[in-house]
Amino acid sequence: MTATTRTARASGAWRNWAGNVTVRPAGTVAPATTEELAEAVARAAADGLKVKAVGTGHSFTTAAATDGLLIRPERLTGVRAVDRDAGTVTVAAGTTLRRLNETLSARGLSLTNMGDIMEQTVSGAVSTGTHGTGRDSGAIAAQLRGLELVTADGSVLTCSAVENTDVFAAARVGLGALGVITALTFAVEPEFLLRAREEPMPFGRVTSEFEQLVAENEHFEFYWFPHTDSCTTKRNNRSAGPAAPAGRVSAWVEDELLSNGLFGAVCALGRAVPAAVPGIARLSSRALSARTYTDVPYRVFTSPRRVRFLEMEYALPRAAATAALRELRAMIERKGLRIGFPVEVRTAPADDIPLSTASGRDTAYIAVHMYRGTPHRAYFTAAEQIMLAHGGRPHWGKLHSRDAEYLAGVYPRFGEFAAVRDRLDPHRVFGNDYLRRVLGE
């Protein structure tokens, strides 16, 4: 075993971004190559240790928790290949979305769609079903064209639509249950411009015109501020240009001062004085003004997120979105809850990935948040009951209470995924308590 892959006793705990998950693994390793990672997995399995790969910790669940061997991503990074003719780029699994986006932009290329943060590793983002919003373009995993996977015995599989096709189908959103992804190949296209239009809109108008707003825009999303009738809408559409980026000062005011600095302060105030939350919400909903700008995709899709929180998100049949949101609003007022964080609503087209939250159906996402340190269980539990009544599927990386029995009922291809898992990891080398709950034994 090389010095790079030698498993050392863990000297400290690993915590996720939100701070609600802490693990103390028996050992950690930070491989720099697929070969080193495969060697580490094989040795750990031979020693009877469970193995989990961790990203940057932006999941709120214990999906990556282990008391066995924890594989760290920081050395397995970088672009492996760019194929302009095929329209693909291959990157190592520990590469962050920020590095991927910036590298692609420097080469005049772009992903078609992406989520709203760039801190995640590419493997973590696809494995948990990270998504943005889109009328025609789906989650990050839906843009995959191939992947490299280390299985429980240390074997390395190359997977795509023509090679190890059943593994590729499942592993695009694999929850870390099938093996450790070491590289991913994404479809890319020539870089384009997006015109972003952000503006306030009343709750009643957004909900009554939701289907129209989705149909008319390539990327539509909105945030509703509980205790108010106010929403902030975002419409992103391709533009012929010219580029007109948000001004440096105005961007700082909107993205740093209002969305991070000031918002963090008011969240802290709301946590300390819950009775002040409705008034704070009314002020917060009026703080963000309308703006329009045109820039390259990753600068439009993504924004900094420095205020730490806990989150639960459910994927619903798109036709159920507005009814569920109205029920959520009524529940908050009926129960007298004090909710200082806006509710986020996004969409995605149906895809063909077995455990994708958009698998087989056009989807709307409703995400609820609570500032870190604020009691969240009453809100999340009540919100979850609303989502379940509409056949909701929980985001794999966000808080939820569902188990394998429920999930098998809302994922028609659940058994297909389970069969691939049984074949690749019959002894559950990559298992943990979370996977035992959501996938079964």
Side-chain angles (χ1 to χ4, degrees), residues 1-7 29:
M1 178 178 267
T2 68
T4 305
T5 60
R6 185 178 296 118
T7 301
V29 64

Side-chain angles (χ1 to χ4, degrees), residues 105-189:
S105 184
R107 296 170 184 247
L109 299 170
S110 178
L111 296 173
T112 298
N113 197 357
M114 61 195 77
D116 59 6
I117 65 170
M118 295 196 292
E119 281 62 46
Q120 297 159 292
T121 62
V122 290
S123 58
V126 301
S127 295
T128 55
T130 294
H131 61 90
T133 190
R135 180 189 62 202
D136 308 307
S137 53
I140 296 175
Q143 299 169 69
L144 276 180
R145 295 296 177 266
L147 60 86
E148 184 180 78
L149 184 75
V150 172
T151 61
D153 62 359
S155 299
V156 180
L157 297 182
T158 301
C159 309
S160 70
V162 296
E163 187 175 6
N164 293 307
T165 56
D166 60 336
V167 178
F168 178 64
R172 285 177 290 171
V173 179
L175 316 185
L178 307 180
V180 180
I181 294 174
T182 49
L184 301 113
T185 298
F186 292 95
V188 295
E189 59 177 300

Side-chain angles (χ1 to χ4, degrees), residues 3 31 80 96-97 110 158 196 263 291-292 296 318 321 355 378 384 393 399-400 414 427:
R80 289 191 178 182
T96 63
L97 288 168
S110 178
T158 301
F263 185 58
R291 62 173 176 167
T292 300
V296 297
R318 201 174 76 192
L355 293 191
E384 186 173 46
R393 299 167 176 170
L399 297 177
H400 68 91
F414 190 90
H427 303 297

